[in-house]
Amino acid sequence: MPYEENPFTPTFGEVPAYMAGRAQLIGDMITAFERSGRSPDLSTVISGARGTGKTALLSLIAEEARKRGWIAVGVTALPGMLEDVEERTLEAAEHLVAPDVESRITGIGIAQIVNAEWEHSDRARGNWRTRMNRILDALAETDTGLLIAVDEVQPDLDEMIQLAAVYQHFVREGRKVALLMAGLPHSISTLLQDKTVSFLRRSVSHHLGRVDNCEIEDAFAKTVRSGGRTIQKKALNKAVRAINGFPFMMQLVGYRSWEQDPLAPKVTVEHVELGISIAEKELKARVLDSTYRSLSDGDIRFLRAMLADEGESRMADIVARMGVSASYAGQYRNRLLAHGAIGERRRGVVAFELPAFRDYLIEQEL
């Protein structure tokens, strides 16, 4: 008998059928969208390594906001970001705000079109904050909120700083707005250190790390069932071990295991073993190789000095193993933090941030 299409989604940013390990964060955001008063969760910052599901999470939260009557726009932190926020907002709210000149219907007669009365404002007048204020004024008439979701935060982008600074004024003015930002750990940390947007340090902060195996197991099994099939217990256990808490790997293993025999009613151990083999090669090619190629010799030397530790590494030990000064090692620490290859656990302590990267480096040494 035919079954549903493959329910796993191993493409960056696509919302999975079941998102493992993020229920609390998603629930908090939904509650914030449903409340009439201001919730601290409406200003949220998300950090995580590549492949931990930041983009997919932003997409899911934006959709939950829309379901609750909010206008939600998603942009990437690139030059032109502010204009993109404005254009996407007008596009999404065209039923409330005229897209070209920010016109608003103020009165309608029986003949509707003939007797419609419009207020017009010239978009060319005023800066970005002024133009956004006009849009927010129009949305306020129907008590409609605006969520701005920014992916791949770049702390050195002037428009990123401007958005964060202006958003603070929106909040102070009592406007119904929310700001959701996501990026690599070091990018988020650097942004929060900027004195211009120091208020962001009071935002709710979430770090997307490894997902517990029990949550991976539950989401994996539910995803399989959503496609009309079941999975053997031993097969599920193998899949969970190979995934090792990495959300992107879960989608890869699931997708490739499913494809071994899409018409079989049950996903077997054999299907999963083959799926894992293919997924590991894809993870290497799509994530690990590209990350490794972007590193300098100094970066790699720093990472090699971490391999002696099973878990966390003390900077003092890394400095000693490299045989360099603390300031010299610190330069490469900062570079690797920016890459998302490592993460800071506490002062003077770092660890591999990208799942499977430690094993990958060991293989490169053989």
Side-chain angles (χ1 to χ4, degrees):
M1 63 172 289
Y3 295 96
E4 299 291 336
E5 292 292 327
N6 195 321
F8 290 93
T9 55
T11 53
F12 288 108
E14 188 171 355
V15 178
Y18 292 92
M19 187 169 287
R22 316 304 185 202
Q24 183 65 51
L25 193 164
I26 296 168
D28 289 344
M29 293 301 301
I30 289 174
T31 299
F33 295 137
E34 292 177 339
R35 283 181 176 169
S36 57
R38 180 93 195 159
S39 166
D41 292 294
L42 292 179
S43 302
T44 290
V45 178
I46 298 170
S47 65
R50 294 178 179 88
T52 51
K54 299 184 298 297
T55 302
L57 186 59
L58 258 61
S59 297
L60 187 151
I61 291 173
E63 185 56 36
E64 292 296 339
R66 294 185 189 102
K67 290 177 182 178
R68 287 154 181 84
W70 285 62
I71 298 298
V73 297
V75 299
T76 301
L78 294 170
M81 178 182 70
L82 293 182
E83 181 183 358
D84 199 23
V85 168
E86 183 180 351
E87 293 292 338
R88 299 290 74 75
T89 303
L90 287 170
E91 183 179 69
E94 61 182 356
H95 56 299
L96 300 170
V97 182
D100 294 327
V101 293
E102 296 174 19
S103 302
R104 293 182 295 135
I105 295 179
T106 58
I108 293 182
I110 296 176
Q112 292 193 5
I113 295 178
V114 175
N115 294 337
E117 299 175 12
W118 295 83
E119 285 184 359
H120 297 272
S121 61
D122 184 358
R123 274 186 63 201
R125 296 177 59 191
N127 59 18
W128 184 78
R129 178 181 172 185
T130 299
R131 297 196 302 274
M132 287 302 298
N133 278 342
R134 295 186 190 123
I135 297 173
L136 291 170
D137 286 342
L139 296 179
E141 293 183 5
T142 54
D143 193 32
T144 302
L146 172 63
L147 165 65
I148 302 172
V150 182
D151 198 10
E152 298 180 17
V153 162
Q154 299 296 329
D156 57 349
L157 180 67
D158 289 342
E159 290 181 72
M160 183 77 253
I161 303 299
Q162 186 179 347
L163 169 62
V166 171
Y167 172 75
Q168 178 180 202
H169 291 287
F170 292 160
V171 173
R172 288 176 177 174
E173 293 163 4
R175 298 185 179 279
K176 193 172 182 178
V177 292
L179 180 61
L180 180 62
M181 299 185 295
L184 295 173
H186 187 61
S187 296
I188 294 295
S189 175
T190 302
L191 175 65
L192 296 182
Q193 290 172 18
D194 192 297
K195 294 180 180 179
T196 308
V197 294
S198 59
F199 81 98
L200 282 178
R201 297 170 197 164
R202 299 189 294 274
S203 299
V204 175
S205 179
H206 295 275
H207 176 74
L208 304 186
R210 180 184 179 279
V211 178
D212 289 343
N213 282 348
C214 62
E215 296 190 76
I216 291 289
E217 179 178 338
D218 181 62
F220 196 96
K222 285 180 177 177
T223 304
V224 170
R225 290 197 295 271
S226 74
R229 301 172 68 184
T230 58
I231 182 170
Q232 293 176 347
K233 181 63 176 177
K234 287 184 178 180
L236 181 59
N237 290 340
K238 277 184 173 289
V240 171
R241 286 196 298 272
I243 292 164
N244 192 28
F246 191 27
F248 182 56
M249 188 60 169
M250 171 180 150
Q251 300 303 322
L252 279 177
V253 170
Y255 187 88
R256 294 306 177 189
S257 298
W258 181 284
E259 289 297 301
Q260 297 313 305
D261 190 353
L263 299 182
K266 182 171 290 188
V267 179
T268 67
V269 171
E270 291 74 18
H271 297 155
V272 168
E273 288 176 342
L274 288 169
I276 290 171
S277 177
I278 298 171
E280 287 177 342
K281 293 175 182 176
E282 285 191 282
L283 179 67
K284 180 176 179 293
R286 296 173 64 177
V287 179
L288 304 182
D289 279 347
S290 59
T291 300
Y292 186 78
R293 286 195 299 268
S294 68
L295 301 177
S296 69
D297 290 342
D299 295 330
I300 294 171
R301 186 182 174 193
F302 185 101
L303 294 172
R304 284 172 177 164
M306 294 176 61
L307 294 179
D309 304 308
E310 287 296 325
E312 300 175 342
S313 297
R314 296 172 60 247
M315 279 298 299
D317 293 334
I318 295 172
V319 168
R321 292 166 189 160
M322 292 180 70
V324 298
S325 68
S327 61
Y328 182 88
Q331 295 177 26
Y332 290 102
R333 165 190 169 277
N334 292 338
R335 282 175 49 84
L336 290 164
L337 286 170
H339 274 288
I342 66 173
E344 190 171 36
R345 295 297 178 263
R346 55 189 178 279
R347 185 176 179 82
V349 177
V350 296
F352 283 99
E353 192 75 15
L354 191 61
F357 200 45
R358 183 178 185 278
D359 292 338
Y360 174 89
L361 288 169
I362 291 174
E363 289 179 9
Q364 303 305 307
E365 297 294 299
L366 299 178

